[in-house]
Amino acid sequence: MRSRLSAVIGRRAVVALWAVAGLVVVILTYWLLFARPVETGSEEFPVLKSGDVVLAPSGHAYRYVAAPNVSWDRARAAAEKMRFRGKRGYLATVDDAAEFEFVMTRVFVNDTDVTYLGGRQTAPGEWRWVTGPDAAADGGKGTLFWSGYENGHAPEGRFVTWMFSAFQHGGKWDVSKVCCVTLFSYRRRMFSTSLGTGDTDEGVAGYLVEYSR
């Protein structure tokens, strides 16, 4: 009697397991067919318009300028023609964490796409701020703020925050091909690198101008 009861219970358990499995299959099928978001191609972000000049407690001032697909050289030239209260503009340099925090919270209240800064790779693995007052450092080479690539290091006292994809090996954005430092690659509030040509694949949105002298 006990063995027969056990057999009945066993059969019912198997039936219950199959029922649960069937339900799981139905739910997964529904999710795959109807619940997944539709792929619409390349993601498009709202366009951030050029902003007003924002004054910092340090006495520096900043302005975001929208310039889709501009090259780094043209952005630098345009920035140097700008003036604010007698101070000449230049592509912004980010010298410490406090400055970065101010720019991120006060200048970029909303995210944008790739935005040029005043940093360049001046030699393989040598990253310097080459605009504004920093440009005069090291005999005119600019202020060194990073040496190397993903396993590199910052000189003592220098600030840097690279995103994971900044240094690629191989392909269109190989480290030997990128030149320029940016913000907001993939909407990340971190440093990244760019070809600097205004290539439409990069999604350059504009540049950040700084006034300090």
Side-chain angles (χ1 to χ4, degrees):
M1 186 69 175
R2 288 183 179 178
S3 60
R4 182 178 297 179
L5 180 60
S6 297
V8 170
I9 293 173
R11 284 195 296 272
R12 289 180 177 176
V14 170
V15 170
L17 287 173
W18 275 108
V20 171
L23 181 60
V24 170
V25 170
V26 170
I27 292 173
L28 288 175
T29 301
Y30 178 86
W31 182 82
L32 289 170
L33 291 176
F34 304 109
R36 293 178 67 190
V38 177
E39 178 60 52
T40 57
S42 299
E43 187 174 2
E44 295 184 0
F45 300 109
V47 175
L48 184 64
K49 297 179 180 179
S50 297
D52 296 327
V53 175
V54 181
L55 287 166
S58 62
H60 292 213
Y62 305 85
R63 183 183 182 223
Y64 170 72
V65 178
N69 302 321
V70 69
S71 70
W72 189 89
D73 286 331
R74 287 188 175 184
R76 176 179 60 180
E80 291 176 350
K81 293 177 181 178
M82 297 181 183
R83 299 290 186 275
F84 176 72
R85 295 183 180 178
K87 297 178 180 180
R88 182 181 178 184
Y90 55 90
L91 287 183
T93 60
V94 181
D95 291 317
D96 54 47
E99 184 176 17
F100 180 79
E101 180 67 17
F102 180 85
V103 167
M104 290 295 99
T105 58
R106 297 293 304 278
V107 180
F108 293 107
V109 177
N110 298 308
D111 291 345
T112 184
D113 218 327
V114 174
T115 300
Y116 290 131
L117 297 176
R120 285 188 69 99
Q121 181 175 210
T122 55
E126 188 174 281
W127 300 88
R128 294 177 181 271
W129 298 120
V130 297
T131 56
D134 281 315
D138 201 3
K141 290 182 179 180
T143 299
L144 182 68
F145 69 92
W146 186 258
S147 295
Y149 298 115
E150 64 270 27
N151 295 317
H153 66 280
E156 185 176 356
R158 286 292 152 191
F159 173 80
V160 68
T161 173
W162 294 111
M163 69 175 293
F164 70 95
S165 62
F167 304 115
Q168 300 181 26
H169 301 277
K172 187 172 183 176
W173 287 276
D174 183 83
V175 291
S176 65
K177 300 176 182 178
V178 294
C179 64
C180 309
V181 180
T182 67
L183 288 170
F184 291 110
S185 181
Y186 296 104
R187 293 279 166 139
R188 300 295 183 99
R189 291 176 168 250
M190 303 177 76
F191 293 167
S192 192
T193 56
S194 165
L195 299 171
T197 60
D199 190 307
T200 55
D201 286 344
E202 289 195 315
V204 174
Y207 53 93
L208 181 64
V209 182
E210 182 175 1
Y211 307 88
S212 67
R213 62 180 180 182

